[in-house]
């Protein structure tokens, strides 16, 4: 897996590095780094932050350089925002820097980011430049420094402090890195439902079950409660209490993931209903205690649709369920 060095320039308390109205450059840089990290999280790479991601210390530049070299990163990007006079002015535009004697890789990385930076921020392109910045002044690892607009420029300020502007900056860097390093999307995690039931008689939660591998429940012992989650996305579910002389038969409130469980201890249920926001078909089945059989598979979620809106027959306790993606 490729490693990427990412750096939010300066520290929160570095004197002078701020907008005229006091927004710290580090925090703008950090916001952009966080979005870059987020975008790249679905790619096959690891981000190494050279500024430790906390801002309290302005780590010395030599320490930052050592960190990314020692980590063995494949590329390094330092995120900055520019300043001209420190008071409001009309300076505007973005720049990407290499060191004074760039390698071909430095120049390619700079270009991969720069073209997008101009496009995505909508700010004036001031060019790819060379400078003796210590943070990128080594030729072992492709490294660039980005200036994403002027903190004291009245026009740039509006862009760089907005979510859209920060996202544009971050996207430019992330996509530039994706192209430069030829990063590939991670194989997405398998989608699975994990669920368990609370069993009457023995009055306990049974172990989690994953999808189709098993069912949750012990035949002959009615179940009272259900708890479920997905490996990604959200699952919503509810249970129907069978009802007794003292307890009215009814649907209990919907539960999302493991924020709660659906059901009441010691009150057997006779129906369940599930749905997810994954866009994939979720199938579920209830096992009837009395008849000892699995009821038909249900894929819908509608408590007034007894055919495909929930699993169960009112009045007949269920002692097991099965929930899985098709
Ligand atoms: Zn800076």
């Amino acid at each position: 897996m490729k490693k990427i060095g990412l750096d939010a320039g300066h520290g929160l308390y570095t004197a002078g590095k701020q907008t005229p109205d006091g927004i710290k450059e580090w925090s703008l840089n950090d916001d952009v780094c966080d979005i870059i990290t987020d975008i790249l999280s679905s790619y096959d790479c690891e981000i190494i932050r050279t500024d430790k991601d906390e801002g309290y210390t302005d780590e010395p530049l030599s320490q930052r350089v050592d960190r990314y070299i020692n980590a063995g990163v494949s590329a390094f990007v330092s995120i900055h925002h520019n300043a001209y006079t420190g008071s409001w002015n009309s300076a505007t535009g973005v720049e990407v820097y290499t060191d004074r004697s760039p390698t071909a890789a430095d120049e390619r990385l700079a270009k991969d980011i720069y073209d997008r930076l101009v496009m995505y921020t909508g700010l004036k392109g001031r060019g790819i430049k060379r400078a003796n910045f210590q943070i990128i002044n080594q030729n072992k690892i492709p490294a660039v420094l980005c200036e994403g607009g002027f903190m004291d420029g009245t026009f740039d300020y509006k862009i760089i402090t907005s979510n859209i502007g920060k996202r544009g900056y971050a996207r430019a860097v992330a996509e530039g890195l994706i192209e430069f390093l030829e990063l590939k999307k991670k194989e997405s995690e398998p989608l699975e439902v994990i669920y368990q039931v609370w069993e009457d008689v023995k009055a306990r939660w049974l172990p989690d079950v994953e999808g189709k591998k098993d069912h949750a429940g012990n035949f002959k012992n009615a179940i009272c409660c259900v708890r479920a989650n997905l490996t990604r996305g959200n699952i919503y579910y509810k249970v129907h209490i069978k009802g007794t002389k003292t307890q009215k038969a009814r649907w209990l409130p919907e539960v999302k993931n493991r924020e709660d469980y659906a059901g009441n201890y010691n009150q057997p249920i006779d129906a369940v209903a599930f749905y997810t926001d994954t866009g994939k078909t979720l199938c579920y089945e209830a096992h009837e205690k009395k008849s000892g059989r699995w009821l038909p598979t249900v894929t819908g979620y509608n408590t007034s649709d007894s055919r495909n809106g929930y699993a169960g027959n009112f009045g007949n306790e269920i002692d097991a369920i099965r929930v899985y993606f098709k």
Side-chain angles (χ1 to χ4, degrees), residues 113-155:
I113 293 174
Y114 176 79
D115 291 346
R116 292 176 170 92
L117 191 55
V118 176
M119 189 162 54
Y120 295 157
T121 60
L123 295 175
K124 181 184 160 191
R126 298 167 61 93
I128 296 173
K129 301 183 172 183
R130 296 178 181 185
N132 241 340
F133 292 135
Q134 194 185 341
I135 190 86
I136 53 170
N137 200 4
Q138 49 72 35
N139 277 335
K140 291 193 189 101
I141 290 163
V144 297
L145 183 148
C146 304
E147 293 282 5
F150 282 80
M151 294 184 289
D152 52 1
T154 46
F155 181 76

mmCIF file of all heavy atoms in Angstrom, residues 113-155:
data_model
loop_
_atom_site.group_PDB
_atom_site.id
_atom_site.type_symbol
_atom_site.label_atom_id
_atom_site.label_comp_id
_atom_site.label_asym_id
_atom_site.label_seq_id
_atom_site.Cartn_x
_atom_site.Cartn_y
_atom_site.Cartn_z
ATOM 1 N N ILE A 113 -1.515 18.409 -9.686
ATOM 2 C CA ILE A 113 -2.311 19.128 -8.682
ATOM 3 C C ILE A 113 -2.703 20.529 -9.183
ATOM 4 O O ILE A 113 -3.852 20.947 -9.066
ATOM 5 C CB ILE A 113 -1.532 19.229 -7.349
ATOM 6 C CG1 ILE A 113 -1.369 17.827 -6.736
ATOM 7 C CG2 ILE A 113 -2.252 20.166 -6.372
ATOM 8 C CD1 ILE A 113 -0.488 17.778 -5.505
ATOM 9 N N TYR A 114 -1.741 21.225 -9.756
ATOM 10 C CA TYR A 114 -1.971 22.628 -10.113
ATOM 11 C C TYR A 114 -3.149 22.827 -11.073
ATOM 12 O O TYR A 114 -4.017 23.676 -10.840
ATOM 13 C CB TYR A 114 -0.696 23.229 -10.721
ATOM 14 C CG TYR A 114 -0.891 24.649 -11.211
ATOM 15 C CD1 TYR A 114 -0.885 25.720 -10.308
ATOM 16 C CD2 TYR A 114 -1.094 24.926 -12.565
ATOM 17 C CE1 TYR A 114 -1.087 27.022 -10.753
ATOM 18 C CE2 TYR A 114 -1.305 26.221 -13.012
ATOM 19 C CZ TYR A 114 -1.296 27.258 -12.106
ATOM 20 O OH TYR A 114 -1.513 28.550 -12.535
ATOM 21 N N ASP A 115 -3.190 22.066 -12.142
ATOM 22 C CA ASP A 115 -4.258 22.252 -13.135
ATOM 23 C C ASP A 115 -5.626 22.105 -12.477
ATOM 24 O O ASP A 115 -6.561 22.847 -12.770
ATOM 25 C CB ASP A 115 -4.127 21.223 -14.272
ATOM 26 C CG ASP A 115 -2.897 21.491 -15.140
ATOM 27 O OD1 ASP A 115 -2.320 22.593 -15.023
ATOM 28 O OD2 ASP A 115 -2.517 20.591 -15.921
ATOM 29 N N ARG A 116 -5.719 21.136 -11.570
ATOM 30 C CA ARG A 116 -7.005 20.918 -10.884
ATOM 31 C C ARG A 116 -7.276 22.012 -9.852
ATOM 32 O O ARG A 116 -8.423 22.381 -9.618
ATOM 33 C CB ARG A 116 -6.994 19.557 -10.195
ATOM 34 C CG ARG A 116 -6.973 18.400 -11.176
ATOM 35 C CD ARG A 116 -6.861 17.080 -10.433
ATOM 36 N NE ARG A 116 -7.083 15.947 -11.320
ATOM 37 C CZ ARG A 116 -6.126 15.301 -11.980
ATOM 38 N NH1 ARG A 116 -4.861 15.679 -11.873
ATOM 39 N NH2 ARG A 116 -6.414 14.283 -12.767
ATOM 40 N N LEU A 117 -6.221 22.493 -9.241
ATOM 41 C CA LEU A 117 -6.392 23.522 -8.207
ATOM 42 C C LEU A 117 -7.013 24.785 -8.809
ATOM 43 O O LEU A 117 -7.926 25.383 -8.234
ATOM 44 C CB LEU A 117 -5.019 23.827 -7.578
ATOM 45 C CG LEU A 117 -4.995 24.664 -6.314
ATOM 46 C CD1 LEU A 117 -5.862 24.070 -5.219
ATOM 47 C CD2 LEU A 117 -3.549 24.822 -5.823
ATOM 48 N N VAL A 118 -6.538 25.144 -9.982
ATOM 49 C CA VAL A 118 -7.103 26.312 -10.671
ATOM 50 C C VAL A 118 -8.562 26.037 -11.049
ATOM 51 O O VAL A 118 -9.457 26.855 -10.808
ATOM 52 C CB VAL A 118 -6.282 26.641 -11.945
ATOM 53 C CG1 VAL A 118 -6.922 27.791 -12.725
ATOM 54 C CG2 VAL A 118 -4.838 26.967 -11.579
ATOM 55 N N MET A 119 -8.772 24.839 -11.582
ATOM 56 C CA MET A 119 -10.116 24.493 -12.053
ATOM 57 C C MET A 119 -11.112 24.400 -10.892
ATOM 58 O O MET A 119 -12.197 24.959 -10.953
ATOM 59 C CB MET A 119 -10.013 23.157 -12.791
ATOM 60 C CG MET A 119 -11.251 22.741 -13.539
ATOM 61 S SD MET A 119 -10.876 21.465 -14.771
ATOM 62 C CE MET A 119 -10.039 20.204 -13.817
ATOM 63 N N TYR A 120 -10.749 23.701 -9.843
ATOM 64 C CA TYR A 120 -11.715 23.414 -8.780
ATOM 65 C C TYR A 120 -11.929 24.575 -7.805
ATOM 66 O O TYR A 120 -12.991 24.676 -7.191
ATOM 67 C CB TYR A 120 -11.313 22.169 -7.987
ATOM 68 C CG TYR A 120 -11.333 20.881 -8.776
ATOM 69 C CD1 TYR A 120 -10.569 19.786 -8.373
ATOM 70 C CD2 TYR A 120 -12.121 20.739 -9.920
ATOM 71 C CE1 TYR A 120 -10.579 18.600 -9.088
ATOM 72 C CE2 TYR A 120 -12.131 19.558 -10.639
ATOM 73 C CZ TYR A 120 -11.358 18.495 -10.223
ATOM 74 O OH TYR A 120 -11.359 17.318 -10.927
ATOM 75 N N THR A 121 -10.915 25.423 -7.621
ATOM 76 C CA THR A 121 -11.141 26.564 -6.710
ATOM 77 C C THR A 121 -11.725 27.739 -7.476
ATOM 78 O O THR A 121 -12.330 28.626 -6.889
ATOM 79 C CB THR A 121 -9.830 27.046 -6.044
ATOM 80 O OG1 THR A 121 -8.921 27.457 -7.074
ATOM 81 C CG2 THR A 121 -9.222 25.962 -5.179
ATOM 82 N N GLY A 122 -11.518 27.753 -8.805
ATOM 83 C CA GLY A 122 -11.980 28.885 -9.596
ATOM 84 C C GLY A 122 -11.116 30.124 -9.388
ATOM 85 O O GLY A 122 -11.442 31.202 -9.880
ATOM 86 N N LEU A 123 -9.994 29.960 -8.676
ATOM 87 C CA LEU A 123 -9.125 31.111 -8.432
ATOM 88 C C LEU A 123 -8.089 31.240 -9.549
ATOM 89 O O LEU A 123 -7.814 30.283 -10.276
ATOM 90 C CB LEU A 123 -8.428 30.966 -7.071
ATOM 91 C CG LEU A 123 -9.372 30.997 -5.853
ATOM 92 C CD1 LEU A 123 -8.598 30.715 -4.562
ATOM 93 C CD2 LEU A 123 -10.077 32.352 -5.757
ATOM 94 N N LYS A 124 -7.552 32.430 -9.662
ATOM 95 C CA LYS A 124 -6.547 32.715 -10.687
ATOM 96 C C LYS A 124 -5.344 31.785 -10.543
ATOM 97 O O LYS A 124 -4.870 31.541 -9.422
ATOM 98 C CB LYS A 124 -6.106 34.170 -10.505
ATOM 99 C CG LYS A 124 -5.086 34.645 -11.498
ATOM 100 C CD LYS A 124 -4.663 36.069 -11.152
ATOM 101 C CE LYS A 124 -3.331 36.387 -11.803
ATOM 102 N NZ LYS A 124 -2.769 37.652 -11.267
ATOM 103 N N GLY A 125 -4.845 31.276 -11.649
ATOM 104 C CA GLY A 125 -3.642 30.451 -11.616
ATOM 105 C C GLY A 125 -2.408 31.322 -11.681
ATOM 106 O O GLY A 125 -2.193 32.022 -12.670
ATOM 107 N N ARG A 126 -1.605 31.302 -10.642
ATOM 108 C CA ARG A 126 -0.392 32.124 -10.612
ATOM 109 C C ARG A 126 0.820 31.322 -11.075
ATOM 110 O O ARG A 126 1.934 31.844 -11.117
ATOM 111 C CB ARG A 126 -0.155 32.669 -9.202
ATOM 112 C CG ARG A 126 -1.301 33.574 -8.729
ATOM 113 C CD ARG A 126 -1.205 33.854 -7.233
ATOM 114 N NE ARG A 126 0.014 34.531 -6.872
ATOM 115 C CZ ARG A 126 0.126 35.866 -6.787
ATOM 116 N NH1 ARG A 126 -0.906 36.647 -7.037
ATOM 117 N NH2 ARG A 126 1.270 36.402 -6.432
ATOM 118 N N GLY A 127 0.588 30.035 -11.358
ATOM 119 C CA GLY A 127 1.658 29.240 -11.946
ATOM 120 C C GLY A 127 2.281 28.215 -11.021
ATOM 121 O O GLY A 127 2.041 28.210 -9.815
ATOM 122 N N ILE A 128 3.059 27.323 -11.654
ATOM 123 C CA ILE A 128 3.889 26.378 -10.906
ATOM 124 C C ILE A 128 5.231 27.075 -10.716
ATOM 125 O O ILE A 128 5.818 27.557 -11.691
ATOM 126 C CB ILE A 128 4.052 25.060 -11.680
ATOM 127 C CG1 ILE A 128 2.681 24.371 -11.820
ATOM 128 C CG2 ILE A 128 5.052 24.148 -10.982
ATOM 129 C CD1 ILE A 128 2.697 23.140 -12.714
ATOM 130 N N LYS A 129 5.666 27.165 -9.472
ATOM 131 C CA LYS A 129 6.858 27.966 -9.184
ATOM 132 C C LYS A 129 7.910 27.142 -8.456
ATOM 133 O O LYS A 129 7.618 26.036 -7.991
ATOM 134 C CB LYS A 129 6.453 29.174 -8.321
ATOM 135 C CG LYS A 129 5.413 30.061 -9.010
ATOM 136 C CD LYS A 129 5.094 31.278 -8.174
ATOM 137 C CE LYS A 129 4.200 32.228 -8.980
ATOM 138 N NZ LYS A 129 3.924 33.465 -8.236
ATOM 139 N N ARG A 130 9.079 27.725 -8.361
ATOM 140 C CA ARG A 130 10.177 27.064 -7.642
ATOM 141 C C ARG A 130 10.609 27.952 -6.489
ATOM 142 O O ARG A 130 10.675 29.175 -6.641
ATOM 143 C CB ARG A 130 11.365 26.841 -8.564
ATOM 144 C CG ARG A 130 11.035 25.892 -9.703
ATOM 145 C CD ARG A 130 12.214 25.728 -10.639
ATOM 146 N NE ARG A 130 11.862 24.827 -11.738
ATOM 147 C CZ ARG A 130 12.707 24.424 -12.663
ATOM 148 N NH1 ARG A 130 13.966 24.851 -12.642
ATOM 149 N NH2 ARG A 130 12.319 23.602 -13.610
ATOM 150 N N ALA A 131 10.896 27.338 -5.362
ATOM 151 C CA ALA A 131 11.381 28.126 -4.228
ATOM 152 C C ALA A 131 12.151 27.223 -3.285
ATOM 153 O O ALA A 131 12.006 25.998 -3.309
ATOM 154 C CB ALA A 131 10.227 28.778 -3.485
ATOM 155 N N ASN A 132 12.937 27.818 -2.452
ATOM 156 C CA ASN A 132 13.769 27.087 -1.514
ATOM 157 C C ASN A 132 13.026 26.749 -0.228
ATOM 158 O O ASN A 132 13.505 27.045 0.842
ATOM 159 C CB ASN A 132 14.972 27.965 -1.147
ATOM 160 C CG ASN A 132 16.265 27.278 -1.558
ATOM 161 O OD1 ASN A 132 16.264 26.060 -1.750
ATOM 162 N ND2 ASN A 132 17.325 28.039 -1.683
ATOM 163 N N PHE A 133 11.862 26.166 -0.344
ATOM 164 C CA PHE A 133 11.124 25.837 0.878
ATOM 165 C C PHE A 133 11.711 24.562 1.483
ATOM 166 O O PHE A 133 11.767 23.518 0.813
ATOM 167 C CB PHE A 133 9.633 25.627 0.573
ATOM 168 C CG PHE A 133 8.910 26.876 0.160
ATOM 169 C CD1 PHE A 133 8.036 26.863 -0.925
ATOM 170 C CD2 PHE A 133 9.076 28.079 0.863
ATOM 171 C CE1 PHE A 133 7.354 27.995 -1.307
ATOM 172 C CE2 PHE A 133 8.391 29.225 0.477
ATOM 173 C CZ PHE A 133 7.528 29.189 -0.614
ATOM 174 N N GLN A 134 12.079 24.649 2.742
ATOM 175 C CA GLN A 134 12.770 23.526 3.389
ATOM 176 C C GLN A 134 11.926 22.247 3.387
ATOM 177 O O GLN A 134 12.453 21.146 3.243
ATOM 178 C CB GLN A 134 13.120 23.913 4.830
ATOM 179 C CG GLN A 134 14.125 22.955 5.454
ATOM 180 C CD GLN A 134 14.370 23.275 6.916
ATOM 181 O OE1 GLN A 134 14.093 24.377 7.385
ATOM 182 N NE2 GLN A 134 14.886 22.301 7.651
ATOM 183 N N ILE A 135 10.622 22.418 3.544
ATOM 184 C CA ILE A 135 9.737 21.255 3.665
ATOM 185 C C ILE A 135 9.742 20.369 2.411
ATOM 186 O O ILE A 135 9.471 19.175 2.490
ATOM 187 C CB ILE A 135 8.295 21.724 4.019
ATOM 188 C CG1 ILE A 135 7.380 20.551 4.391
ATOM 189 C CG2 ILE A 135 7.654 22.506 2.888
ATOM 190 C CD1 ILE A 135 7.431 20.136 5.799
ATOM 191 N N ILE A 136 10.071 20.955 1.253
ATOM 192 C CA ILE A 136 10.098 20.152 0.015
ATOM 193 C C ILE A 136 11.492 20.101 -0.608
ATOM 194 O O ILE A 136 11.670 19.589 -1.711
ATOM 195 C CB ILE A 136 9.106 20.714 -1.039
ATOM 196 C CG1 ILE A 136 9.350 22.205 -1.280
ATOM 197 C CG2 ILE A 136 7.672 20.471 -0.591
ATOM 198 C CD1 ILE A 136 8.588 22.771 -2.473
ATOM 199 N N ASN A 137 12.468 20.612 0.135
ATOM 200 C CA ASN A 137 13.797 20.777 -0.441
ATOM 201 C C ASN A 137 14.642 19.513 -0.288
ATOM 202 O O ASN A 137 15.655 19.504 0.389
ATOM 203 C CB ASN A 137 14.490 21.981 0.217
ATOM 204 C CG ASN A 137 15.625 22.506 -0.649
ATOM 205 O OD1 ASN A 137 15.831 22.021 -1.757
ATOM 206 N ND2 ASN A 137 16.355 23.476 -0.135
ATOM 207 N N GLN A 138 14.221 18.446 -0.876
ATOM 208 C CA GLN A 138 14.980 17.186 -0.920
ATOM 209 C C GLN A 138 14.573 16.532 -2.237
ATOM 210 O O GLN A 138 13.510 16.805 -2.764
ATOM 211 C CB GLN A 138 14.665 16.308 0.301
ATOM 212 C CG GLN A 138 13.191 16.109 0.626
ATOM 213 C CD GLN A 138 12.483 15.205 -0.355
ATOM 214 O OE1 GLN A 138 13.063 14.253 -0.874
ATOM 215 N NE2 GLN A 138 11.232 15.493 -0.614
ATOM 216 N N ASN A 139 15.435 15.691 -2.756
ATOM 217 C CA ASN A 139 15.093 15.082 -4.045
ATOM 218 C C ASN A 139 14.905 13.572 -3.976
ATOM 219 O O ASN A 139 14.968 12.882 -4.982
ATOM 220 C CB ASN A 139 16.122 15.471 -5.117
ATOM 221 C CG ASN A 139 15.785 16.845 -5.711
ATOM 222 O OD1 ASN A 139 14.628 17.255 -5.681
ATOM 223 N ND2 ASN A 139 16.784 17.546 -6.232
ATOM 224 N N LYS A 140 14.660 13.070 -2.769
ATOM 225 C CA LYS A 140 14.414 11.628 -2.632
ATOM 226 C C LYS A 140 12.975 11.288 -2.969
ATOM 227 O O LYS A 140 12.685 10.240 -3.519
ATOM 228 C CB LYS A 140 14.665 11.199 -1.178
ATOM 229 C CG LYS A 140 16.113 11.262 -0.745
ATOM 230 C CD LYS A 140 16.278 10.520 0.597
ATOM 231 C CE LYS A 140 17.660 10.738 1.190
ATOM 232 N NZ LYS A 140 17.662 11.754 2.257
ATOM 233 N N ILE A 141 12.095 12.187 -2.563
ATOM 234 C CA ILE A 141 10.667 11.891 -2.656
ATOM 235 C C ILE A 141 9.974 13.041 -3.384
ATOM 236 O O ILE A 141 10.235 14.209 -3.076
ATOM 237 C CB ILE A 141 10.090 11.732 -1.227
ATOM 238 C CG1 ILE A 141 10.634 10.435 -0.601
ATOM 239 C CG2 ILE A 141 8.568 11.737 -1.230
ATOM 240 C CD1 ILE A 141 10.494 10.364 0.880
ATOM 241 N N PRO A 142 9.099 12.728 -4.344
ATOM 242 C CA PRO A 142 8.361 13.793 -5.032
ATOM 243 C C PRO A 142 7.578 14.615 -4.009
ATOM 244 O O PRO A 142 6.814 14.049 -3.217
ATOM 245 C CB PRO A 142 7.414 13.034 -5.969
ATOM 246 C CG PRO A 142 7.993 11.668 -6.091
ATOM 247 C CD PRO A 142 8.748 11.391 -4.835
ATOM 248 N N ALA A 143 7.813 15.930 -4.004
ATOM 249 C CA ALA A 143 7.208 16.759 -2.973
ATOM 250 C C ALA A 143 6.862 18.126 -3.530
ATOM 251 O O ALA A 143 7.638 18.711 -4.294
ATOM 252 C CB ALA A 143 8.180 16.917 -1.797
ATOM 253 N N VAL A 144 5.689 18.634 -3.154
ATOM 254 C CA VAL A 144 5.273 19.971 -3.574
ATOM 255 C C VAL A 144 4.620 20.705 -2.409
ATOM 256 O O VAL A 144 4.174 20.086 -1.438
ATOM 257 C CB VAL A 144 4.272 19.928 -4.761
ATOM 258 C CG1 VAL A 144 4.916 19.302 -5.996
ATOM 259 C CG2 VAL A 144 2.989 19.204 -4.386
ATOM 260 N N LEU A 145 4.582 22.012 -2.529
ATOM 261 C CA LEU A 145 3.897 22.852 -1.558
ATOM 262 C C LEU A 145 2.829 23.648 -2.299
ATOM 263 O O LEU A 145 3.120 24.259 -3.335
ATOM 264 C CB LEU A 145 4.902 23.782 -0.862
ATOM 265 C CG LEU A 145 4.360 24.691 0.250
ATOM 266 C CD1 LEU A 145 5.430 24.930 1.320
ATOM 267 C CD2 LEU A 145 3.856 26.033 -0.290
ATOM 268 N N CYS A 146 1.608 23.612 -1.778
ATOM 269 C CA CYS A 146 0.499 24.308 -2.436
ATOM 270 C C CYS A 146 0.105 25.540 -1.654
ATOM 271 O O CYS A 146 0.032 25.512 -0.422
ATOM 272 C CB CYS A 146 -0.728 23.396 -2.513
ATOM 273 S SG CYS A 146 -0.419 21.822 -3.329
ATOM 274 N N GLU A 147 -0.165 26.596 -2.375
ATOM 275 C CA GLU A 147 -0.738 27.805 -1.787
ATOM 276 C C GLU A 147 -2.125 27.945 -2.397
ATOM 277 O O GLU A 147 -2.275 28.226 -3.587
ATOM 278 C CB GLU A 147 0.110 29.041 -2.121
ATOM 279 C CG GLU A 147 1.497 29.050 -1.493
ATOM 280 C CD GLU A 147 1.492 29.429 -0.009
ATOM 281 O OE1 GLU A 147 0.389 29.603 0.578
ATOM 282 O OE2 GLU A 147 2.594 29.543 0.567
ATOM 283 N N GLY A 148 -3.134 27.760 -1.566
ATOM 284 C CA GLY A 148 -4.501 27.647 -2.098
ATOM 285 C C GLY A 148 -5.305 28.928 -2.082
ATOM 286 O O GLY A 148 -6.536 28.866 -1.980
ATOM 287 N N GLY A 149 -4.670 30.076 -2.189
ATOM 288 C CA GLY A 149 -5.413 31.334 -2.197
ATOM 289 C C GLY A 149 -4.956 32.238 -1.061
ATOM 290 O O GLY A 149 -4.326 31.780 -0.097
ATOM 291 N N PHE A 150 -5.289 33.522 -1.177
ATOM 292 C CA PHE A 150 -4.790 34.520 -0.222
ATOM 293 C C PHE A 150 -5.749 34.739 0.944
ATOM 294 O O PHE A 150 -6.910 35.107 0.752
ATOM 295 C CB PHE A 150 -4.520 35.843 -0.938
ATOM 296 C CG PHE A 150 -3.237 35.832 -1.716
ATOM 297 C CD1 PHE A 150 -3.178 35.233 -2.967
ATOM 298 C CD2 PHE A 150 -2.076 36.377 -1.179
ATOM 299 C CE1 PHE A 150 -1.989 35.193 -3.688
ATOM 300 C CE2 PHE A 150 -0.879 36.341 -1.881
ATOM 301 C CZ PHE A 150 -0.839 35.751 -3.148
ATOM 302 N N MET A 151 -5.210 34.544 2.140
ATOM 303 C CA MET A 151 -6.024 34.739 3.347
ATOM 304 C C MET A 151 -6.404 36.201 3.545
ATOM 305 O O MET A 151 -7.399 36.513 4.181
ATOM 306 C CB MET A 151 -5.247 34.273 4.588
ATOM 307 C CG MET A 151 -4.986 32.790 4.602
ATOM 308 S SD MET A 151 -4.179 32.321 6.147
ATOM 309 C CE MET A 151 -2.557 33.034 5.910
ATOM 310 N N ASP A 152 -5.559 37.104 3.025
ATOM 311 C CA ASP A 152 -5.848 38.534 3.187
ATOM 312 C C ASP A 152 -6.394 39.158 1.894
ATOM 313 O O ASP A 152 -6.560 40.366 1.802
ATOM 314 C CB ASP A 152 -4.594 39.294 3.671
ATOM 315 C CG ASP A 152 -3.372 39.021 2.797
ATOM 316 O OD1 ASP A 152 -3.488 38.261 1.801
ATOM 317 O OD2 ASP A 152 -2.295 39.559 3.109
ATOM 318 N N GLY A 153 -6.653 38.287 0.899
ATOM 319 C CA GLY A 153 -7.275 38.777 -0.341
ATOM 320 C C GLY A 153 -8.783 38.758 -0.175
ATOM 321 O O GLY A 153 -9.353 37.708 0.136
ATOM 322 N N THR A 154 -9.412 39.876 -0.383
ATOM 323 C CA THR A 154 -10.857 39.951 -0.077
ATOM 324 C C THR A 154 -11.676 38.963 -0.925
ATOM 325 O O THR A 154 -12.656 38.417 -0.451
ATOM 326 C CB THR A 154 -11.407 41.382 -0.297
ATOM 327 O OG1 THR A 154 -10.913 41.866 -1.536
ATOM 328 C CG2 THR A 154 -10.961 42.305 0.816
ATOM 329 N N PHE A 155 -11.217 38.731 -2.159
ATOM 330 C CA PHE A 155 -11.950 37.780 -3.005
ATOM 331 C C PHE A 155 -11.666 36.336 -2.577
ATOM 332 O O PHE A 155 -12.581 35.554 -2.340
ATOM 333 C CB PHE A 155 -11.582 37.992 -4.483
ATOM 334 C CG PHE A 155 -12.320 37.068 -5.405
ATOM 335 C CD1 PHE A 155 -13.658 37.284 -5.712
ATOM 336 C CD2 PHE A 155 -11.688 35.945 -5.951
ATOM 337 C CE1 PHE A 155 -14.348 36.410 -6.557
ATOM 338 C CE2 PHE A 155 -12.370 35.067 -6.794
ATOM 339 C CZ PHE A 155 -13.704 35.308 -7.091
#
